[in-house]
Amino acid sequence: MSLTPDLLLHAYSIGVFPMAEHREDEEVFWVDPKHRGIFPLDGFHISRSLAKTIRRADYAVSVNRAFSDVVMACADRTETWINAEIFARYQDLHAMGHAHSLEVWDQDRLVGGVYGVSLGGGFFGESMFSRQRDTSKIALAYLMDRLRQSGFQLCDTQFLTPHLASLGAIEISRAAYKARLQLALEHEADFEAPQLPSPTLLLQRMTQTS
């Protein structure tokens, strides 16, 4: 079956997502985890050290400025599930307004970021990367704020890792996830609408909701 943008969007709407075994594998398979990781939108945890890093503000944050570069950086590791077809189709979704990135910069150097897919009121996180300490955490903090400000109802992390759990992500059953997914798809959200907050405003918002 050929992977198309419409097929990808349908897959997300029913709770499944694609992966490849490795970078060079031409085959794509569908994943429907028995246990699903999600970020409660009011549950992102900012540690004291991360708050200090955010407050220092020696970085810049952007939205959808370097989508391709973020995906390539996420795939730039020994083992990756992002093959050539997956990379190409997510570029298509980005062009359609259904895939987004949030970037962290050290001057003109891309040092961290996260990307994912949006559909209705659901955001489906795909991958993130960090080239300097805490830059992926900074990206996630700004992402979670943006999802709340944009009207999203669900943030999917696919799987729960110890790293994500330390930031407030939780694991729920497949059935519970799909129930939340259907509710989220009944809403509309606009990922690009909100302005990026200042570090001070970001921390105020996260403190109020955590």
Side-chain angles (χ1 to χ4, degrees), residues 6 18 60 75 105 140 174:
D6 287 342
W105 304 86
L140 280 176
R174 178 190 293 154

Side-chain angles (χ1 to χ4, degrees), residues 10-159:
H10 175 68
Y12 283 105
S13 76
I14 60 173
V16 301
F17 55 89
M19 297 182 75
E21 288 289 352
H22 53 78
R23 180 182 289 103
E24 304 302 328
D25 192 351
E26 297 181 0
E27 297 295 322
V28 172
F29 60 92
W30 298 103
V31 183
D32 185 9
K34 183 177 180 181
H35 302 288
R36 196 76 170 230
I38 65 166
F39 260 121
L41 294 180
D42 60 352
F44 187 78
H45 174 65
I46 294 184
S47 66
R48 289 184 179 180
S49 62
L50 179 57
K52 183 178 179 180
T53 299
I54 291 173
R55 195 174 293 113
R56 193 163 61 237
D58 54 353
Y59 58 87
V61 177
S62 60
V63 175
N64 287 334
R65 174 178 164 187
F67 181 83
S68 294
D69 292 334
V70 170
V71 180
M72 284 190 290
C74 289
D76 185 19
R77 56 193 67 176
T78 304
E79 294 185 6
T80 179
W81 49 266
I82 303 172
N83 67 3
E85 184 171 19
I86 287 176
F87 180 86
R89 295 295 77 75
Y90 282 86
Q91 308 309 306
D92 294 339
L93 288 182
H94 178 61
M96 294 166 63
H98 281 292
H100 308 280
S101 59
L102 193 148
E103 304 91 15
V104 180
W105 304 86
D106 180 352
Q107 298 185 38
D108 61 350
R109 180 171 174 255
L110 182 63
V111 293
V114 59
Y115 81 97
V117 172
S118 65
L119 185 63
F123 185 84
F124 311 92
E126 283 296 312
S127 191
M128 61 185 178
F129 78 98
S130 183
R131 290 174 176 158
Q132 290 181 186
R133 182 178 177 180
D134 285 342
T135 51
S136 63
K137 294 180 182 178
I138 293 171
L140 280 176
Y142 276 89
L143 171 66
M144 297 304 296
D145 178 76
R146 174 157 293 261
L147 296 182
R148 288 200 298 267
Q149 300 303 316
S150 303
F152 283 87
Q153 307 295 311
L154 173 69
C155 180
D156 170 36
T157 71
Q158 299 180 347
F159 304 104

Side-chain angles (χ1 to χ4, degrees), residues 183-202:
L183 290 174
L185 294 177
E186 295 174 2
H187 293 76
E188 288 297 328
D190 185 353
F191 188 89
E192 298 191 56
Q195 292 185 339
L196 282 164
S198 67
T200 299
L201 179 57
L202 174 71

